[in-house]
Amino acid sequence: MGLGILAAAAVAATGSGGAAAIGSAADRADLADTVLAIHNQERAAVGAAPLRWSPTLARDAQTWARKLAASGTFSHDASNRDTGENLWMGTRGAYRVADMVSGWAREKTALHARVSWQANFPRVGHYTQMIWARTSAVGCALAHSAHHEYLVCRYDPPGNVWNESPYNTKELASNRQFGAPRVRE
C-alpha cells in the first residue's frame, strides 16, 4: 500500500540531485487535462468559473517539485509570496494524478456551511484553494525521487485568503453541476 501525504497553503500576503521531472510533452498535457477536469468539476459544483491552465504556473511548480524530490523534504515554498500552492507526496508509482487531485477534493466532506473554512483549515485547505472563486489559473507539475512522487500545483490569484469566503456567495451553490468544460491557456 502506498503512502500519500497532502499539504495546503495559499500565500496571499495581506535542480536536480537525483530528482526527475515526470513525463514527455504528452504526459504533461494529460496532467493538465486531468487537473483541469477535476478542479473544474469541483468548481462547477459550487458555482465558480472554470480554471485555465497556466504554463507559467506549471513551470514554477516544476521548479519546486524538483527541489522537493531532490531534497526528500515535503514543505511549502517559503519564497512563494504570489501564488497559492497545494502539495502532494506519495509512494512512487502507487498513485495516478487523478487519485492525487481527488484526495484534495475529498476534503469537502470536512467543510461545513455553518463553520468558517478557517476554523478547519488543515482539513479543508486544499479543497478551498481548488474552488476559490477569485482564482482563475492553475499550473501543476510532478517530480520523483527514488521512492516518492511529488505533485505541486500553483494557483493565481491565490485562495485561502483569511477573512474571505471561497465562494462567490457565502453559501454553497445549491444546484450542483458536473462536467465543466476544460479550458487551457
Side-chain angles (χ1 to χ4, degrees):
M1 181 69 152
L3 167 70
I5 301 171
L6 308 170
V11 185
T14 0
S16 174
I22 296 182
S24 64
D27 291 336
R28 287 188 299 277
D30 287 344
L31 169 71
D33 289 343
T34 300
V35 166
L36 283 172
I38 295 168
H39 277 72
N40 288 336
Q41 176 177 318
E42 294 300 324
R43 293 173 66 81
V46 297
L51 295 177
R52 65 179 170 77
W53 185 259
S54 167
T56 302
L57 292 173
R59 190 171 42 256
D60 292 346
Q62 186 68 73
T63 299
W64 189 243
R66 284 181 179 157
K67 286 182 182 177
L68 292 174
S71 67
T73 59
F74 186 67
S75 63
H76 288 285
D77 182 354
S79 67
N80 174 24
R81 300 279 180 220
D82 300 320
T83 63
E85 179 176 79
N86 277 353
L87 304 178
W88 184 95
M89 181 183 94
T91 302
R92 183 175 174 181
Y95 297 89
R96 298 173 304 128
V97 171
D99 299 326
M100 299 171 189
V101 178
S102 292
W104 297 334
R106 282 191 298 275
E107 292 178 3
K108 68 184 164 195
T109 62
L111 190 62
H112 305 288
R114 291 191 174 93
V115 178
S116 167
W117 66 270
Q118 295 164 177
N120 205 13
F121 178 72
R123 295 186 63 211
V124 301
H126 301 99
Y127 174 70
T128 53
Q129 175 57 85
M130 289 175 73
I131 63 154
W132 201 266
R134 287 189 309 126
T135 298
S136 60
V138 63
C140 305
L142 288 163
H144 63 79
S145 63
H147 302 288
H148 296 102
E149 227 164 351
Y150 298 83
L151 173 65
V152 175
C153 288
R154 296 274 172 95
Y155 301 85
D156 187 51
N160 294 339
V161 178
W162 233 240
N163 297 319
E164 290 187 15
S165 172
Y167 310 110
N168 286 325
T169 65
K170 297 217 186 278
E171 293 297 321
L172 215 115
S174 60
N175 183 14
R176 298 181 67 84
Q177 302 169 2
F178 295 94
R182 291 180 278 185
V183 181
R184 295 186 86 168
E185 184 176 79

